[in-house]
Amino acid sequence: MVEDEASRAATPVNAVRLSCAPLQGQVLDAEGQPLTGATLLLKGTQKVFITDNEGRFQLTGPLYQKQILSVEAAGHTTRLLPLNDCQLPIVKLERDPNAKIKRSGKRAGQVTRHGNAYLQ
């Protein structure tokens, strides 16, 4: 069986494959409310997962120890989590101090950013 370049790059060196796929979890905001539409990305792969209306997600496919899971949501700071075992805690994201959510008007509910929010 021949491995392609992409699958080798996605697998950390000397990584142990986790036997818990699919792995399920939930993304919440700082107040404990579910985050709908949060994006989860397994670093080094093209696998992207989106949370449902209850903030729940399911990671499928092979998972490896020390693989990094990036969790992002509009208006919140990004969190990087290493996959060390099959116990994925409930992920809580803090609000981004540079982001504001419009409460009223034509664009109510949209996230706006101020300052150098887009510069990294």
Side-chain angles (χ1 to χ4, degrees), residues 42-54:
L42 284 169
K43 292 286 190 171
T45 71
Q46 294 180 355
K47 294 181 182 181
V48 177
F49 305 93
I50 307 293
T51 58
D52 64 11
N53 60 350
E54 295 177 356

Side-chain angles (χ1 to χ4, degrees), residues 19-118:
S19 62
C20 54
L23 183 60
Q24 299 178 0
Q26 188 175 25
V27 178
L28 305 174
D29 65 10
E31 290 83 37
Q33 297 299 314
L35 282 173
T36 302
T39 305
L40 296 97
L41 169 71
L42 284 169
K43 292 286 190 171
T45 71
Q46 294 180 355
K47 294 181 182 181
V48 177
F49 305 93
I50 307 293
T51 58
D52 64 11
N53 60 350
E54 295 177 356
R56 298 190 184 282
F57 62 89
Q58 182 173 349
L59 305 178
T60 58
L63 301 172
Y64 299 90
Q65 276 186 339
K66 299 181 183 175
Q67 202 169 19
I68 303 295
L69 179 66
S70 173
V71 184
E72 302 176 2
H76 295 80
T77 56
T78 300
R79 223 168 135 197
L80 301 175
L81 303 169
L83 298 178
N84 294 321
D85 53 28
C86 293
Q87 296 296 322
L88 188 64
I90 293 176
V91 180
K92 287 195 176 185
L93 296 181
E94 298 295 323
R95 180 147 326 235
D96 185 352
N98 294 323
K100 292 187 178 181
I101 298 176
K102 292 201 45 109
R103 299 289 176 203
S104 62
K106 185 176 179 181
R107 297 183 179 180
Q110 289 185 349
V111 175
T112 59
R113 294 183 180 243
H114 297 280
N116 294 330
Y118 289 108

